[in-house]
Amino acid sequence: MADAEQSLVNGVTNLSVNGNEKSKESVDEFAKGWGFQLPELYKLAVRFYKEKNGKALKLKYQDKLRLVAYTKQATYGKYRNDVSPEVGFLDVVGNDRRQAWQALGDMSQTTAMAEFVKQLDSLCPLFRPFTEAHNAEKQEQERKRHEEEDRLRREAEEKERRRLEEEAQQQLELQKQKQLEQEMQIRAALNQQTAVQFAQYAQQQCPNNKQQQEELIRQLQEQHYQQYMQQVYQQQLMHQQQQYQQMQQQAGNTAPAPPSQPAPPSQQMESPPTQQPASQPTEVASPPPQANSVTPNGTEGTTEKRQEGEGQVAPPALLMPASVWTRKDIQSFKDSVKHCQENVIKIGSLATATVRVPTHEDGTCLFWEFATDYYDIGFGVYFEWMIAPSTTVSVTVSESSDEEEFDEEQDPKNDVEQGTKKEDRPPTDEIIPVYRRDCHEEVYCGSHAYPGQGVYLLKFDNSYSLWRSKTLYYRVYYSR
């Protein structure tokens, strides 16, 4: 009996020495090979030992002693008398377990855990499948946990995104509401100032027709508002240019570059004006155009001769741009213009028409509106710096744009041969360049503040059309 006990102690001692020689790194690598951390793997091995001992696991007495010794060493470390008190001489099992634990000596707890797992794996082939099943279950739980975390994260991000969108939408709504309130205040102030004048003008233009009067007043109010906002925009632009020039001069740079333009008037709302001159539109009488004589080759001759004033005024250095906008009520506009035959012009193919509107001494700004029936037409505005002998509007229809206002670019010899020479033409500035407008889809409107005394040239160009003639509906008036 004593020899058997001594051989058991020697076997455990040899195992403990081998366990002490393993480094911490090798123990960690050993645990990773099983797919667990070492403490977790050790707990799983102890659980398997307790559940399967005597059932699927049948061990020899010496193997049980070794496993029990490893569990004591892994739990308490080196042998301690307070944990394993003295047992009686006749308690063979107790003495054997104490000696096996003492034989492990200074083996570390991690090494004892690893040796327990190794010993159990070598003694029972079912242990590895048991750990593999738990490892698969662990990985599945990890996968589900990661999926749940990702789902919660996505939900939190979506919730945060919606919150930010709602806040941005609320800010946008507040900004739109503020702009709308400011626009309503401006419109109310402008409409209050021009109510009497616009009502009188509508009564003159559409007598005994309340509906057309109201529609005309709404159009005039809209034009007045657009003109006011365009003036605000131009003033802001000029103010920025002045500030930029001052900054450049202070920095020693005398060649200022154009600053970035401010936002359009629709996005920059000003407070309603406290005092502003009332805008009283007065339509300028426009006589009907003379009949155009059509030659066999399809050309049209000019039937009216321009009148030029004696005194000519030199143009200033800067000409402010015009204000241009459109309206959708094209049919109502045509209906309101049709009763005035002088405001309806038929422009043949390859032809142009020029409406000459002199500045009025009682006006400060010119307004125009025009539309066509089915096709577009070219449109531009020019200004002649001259003193017109009268305020009568004249209409000129010519064969092409080459025969119109820019004959000064032709060779003087050709002018002499043709019997005309226009070296004494007044200076002319381009306010709006001629390009095609979709005026058959919406009404094109515009206004321009008088730069001085002169004549506005409203040019309607159909020279690009080889076959189609255009019916033009137009209206011009000025405001104070």
Side-chain angles (χ1 to χ4, degrees):
M1 184 67 179
D3 295 337
E5 292 177 359
Q6 186 63 36
S7 63
L8 175 62
V9 172
N10 293 337
V12 173
T13 303
N14 293 333
L15 288 174
S16 67
V17 172
N18 293 333
N20 285 330
E21 291 177 353
K22 294 183 178 292
S23 62
K24 186 177 183 302
E25 289 78 5
S26 62
V27 172
D28 294 337
E29 291 296 331
F30 166 77
K32 290 180 180 179
W34 288 79
F36 296 92
Q37 296 293 331
L38 182 59
E40 187 178 3
L41 178 62
Y42 171 71
K43 290 180 180 179
L44 191 62
V46 172
R47 174 185 168 186
F48 177 81
Y49 174 75
K50 291 180 178 180
E51 291 178 356
K52 305 300 181 180
N53 187 20
K55 301 175 182 177
L57 179 63
K58 295 183 179 180
L59 303 177
K60 296 180 180 179
Y61 179 72
Q62 293 181 356
D63 296 332
K64 289 183 179 181
L65 286 180
R66 293 176 185 174
L67 293 176
V68 171
Y70 287 139
T71 57
K72 294 291 185 178
Q73 190 77 9
T75 305
Y76 302 104
K78 188 177 180 180
Y79 172 79
R80 291 163 47 188
N81 291 328
D82 59 336
V83 176
S84 179
E86 294 290 338
V87 295
F89 179 77
L90 298 178
D91 188 359
V92 178
V93 176
N95 287 321
D96 291 343
R97 290 181 176 179
R98 184 180 62 179
Q99 292 177 5
W101 185 10
Q102 290 176 345
L104 297 179
D106 295 332
M107 177 185 291
S108 64
Q109 291 177 296
T110 56
T111 303
M113 294 179 184
E115 290 297 333
F116 181 86
V117 173
K118 284 184 178 182
Q119 187 72 16
L120 188 61
D121 181 38
S122 62
L123 295 175
C124 183
L126 298 178
F127 176 64
R128 185 169 290 274
F130 177 80
T131 57
E132 290 176 352
H134 280 77
N135 189 22
E137 182 181 358
K138 174 187 174 184
Q139 291 180 357
E140 181 66 17
Q141 292 176 354
E142 286 291 324
R143 185 186 65 80
K144 291 181 179 181
R145 183 178 64 83
H146 285 303
E147 289 180 353
E148 183 68 15
E149 290 178 354
D150 291 341
R151 185 184 64 82
L152 295 176
R153 178 180 55 80
R154 288 193 299 269
E155 289 180 355
E157 291 177 354
E158 181 67 17
K159 185 177 180 180
E160 181 67 15
R161 184 185 64 81
R162 291 179 179 176
R163 185 184 66 82
L164 295 176
E165 287 182 354
E166 291 177 357
E167 291 181 356
Q169 186 67 23
Q170 292 176 358
Q171 293 292 335
L172 183 60
E173 293 294 334
L174 291 176
Q175 185 177 3
K176 289 182 178 179
Q177 183 67 22
K178 184 178 179 181
Q179 291 180 355
L180 182 60
E181 292 176 356
Q182 292 178 351
E183 179 181 347
M184 294 176 62
Q185 293 175 2
I186 294 174
R187 288 182 181 272
L190 295 176
N191 295 343
Q192 184 179 4
Q193 294 174 0
T194 59
V196 177
Q197 293 85 351
F198 286 170
Q200 294 176 356
Y201 175 74
Q203 179 65 28
Q204 295 174 1
Q205 296 297 318
C206 306
N208 302 326
N209 193 329
K210 191 66 176 177
Q211 183 178 0
Q212 289 187 0
Q213 291 178 12
E214 293 177 354
E215 180 65 23
L216 181 57
I217 290 175
R218 284 195 295 269
Q219 294 176 8
L220 295 174
Q221 289 175 346
E222 179 65 24
Q223 293 173 6
H224 192 196
Y225 170 76
Q226 295 294 340
Q227 178 193 7
Y228 171 76
M229 296 307 299
Q230 185 67 21
Q231 291 175 355
V232 171
Y233 170 71
Q234 293 172 359
Q235 291 175 1
Q236 291 177 350
L237 181 59
M238 293 178 62
H239 181 65
Q240 286 189 1
Q241 290 175 346
Q242 292 175 359
Q243 287 183 342
Y244 187 83
Q245 290 175 358
Q246 292 177 0
M247 293 173 58
Q248 291 294 329
Q249 291 175 359
Q250 293 177 358
N253 186 0
T254 58
S260 59
Q261 294 188 359
S266 60
Q267 298 180 6
Q268 293 187 349
M269 307 300 297
E270 297 290 338
S271 59
T274 56
Q275 293 182 356
Q276 181 173 341
S279 174
Q280 180 178 1
T282 305
E283 186 170 6
V284 182
S286 55
Q290 301 291 334
N292 300 319
S293 58
V294 182
T295 59
N297 58 2
T299 59
E300 299 179 0
T302 303
T303 61
E304 185 172 337
K305 184 178 180 180
R306 303 184 187 90
Q307 298 179 353
E308 298 181 359
E310 296 178 356
Q312 297 180 358
V313 182
L318 178 62
L319 194 68
M320 296 302 296
S323 173
V324 179
W325 64 93
T326 59
R327 298 198 313 269
K328 297 295 184 180
D329 54 344
I330 184 169
Q331 189 58 45
S332 61
F333 169 73
K334 291 180 182 179
D335 294 339
S336 64
V337 173
K338 282 180 180 179
H339 70 280
C340 301
Q341 294 299 324
E342 62 270 17
N343 289 346
V344 181
I345 306 174
K346 185 171 183 179
I347 307 175
S349 59
L350 301 175
T352 60
T354 301
V355 179
R356 297 175 59 86
V357 186
T359 57
H360 198 280
E361 60 181 3
D362 294 332
T364 60
C365 183
L366 177 70
F367 287 82
W368 61 83
E369 304 170 305
F370 67 92
T372 55
D373 276 335
Y374 304 108
Y375 306 102
D376 60 354
I377 198 169
F379 174 74
V381 180
Y382 297 82
F383 188 80
E384 279 188 356
W385 297 88
M386 61 175 294
I387 299 177
S390 68
T391 59
T392 303
V393 176
S394 62
V395 180
T396 302
V397 180
S398 62
E399 176 183 356
S400 66
S401 59
D402 296 336
E403 298 181 7
E404 282 224 319
E405 308 303 330
F406 305 106
D407 295 331
E408 67 273 17
E409 297 180 359
Q410 298 179 359
D411 190 351
K413 295 182 180 180
N414 295 336
D415 294 337
V416 173
E417 294 174 358
Q418 296 173 2
T420 59
K421 187 174 181 179
K422 301 185 179 181
E423 295 180 354
D424 58 345
R425 279 198 51 78
T428 303
D429 282 339
E430 181 184 67
I431 299 175
I432 300 177
V434 176
Y435 64 91
R436 296 168 66 172
R437 320 285 175 137
D438 294 329
C439 51
H440 61 295
E441 297 178 352
E442 53 189 355
V443 182
Y444 273 74
C445 313
S447 65
H448 188 255
Y450 288 175
Q453 289 184 329
V455 179
Y456 282 95
L457 307 178
L458 277 61
K459 295 187 176 294
F460 299 93
D461 185 6
N462 194 34
S463 60
Y464 57 86
S465 181
L466 296 177
W467 308 106
R468 295 190 179 98
S469 61
K470 310 292 174 62
T471 301
L472 174 69
Y473 304 83
Y474 81 97
R475 180 165 56 194
V476 291
Y477 53 90
Y478 67 87
S479 64
R480 299 184 188 277

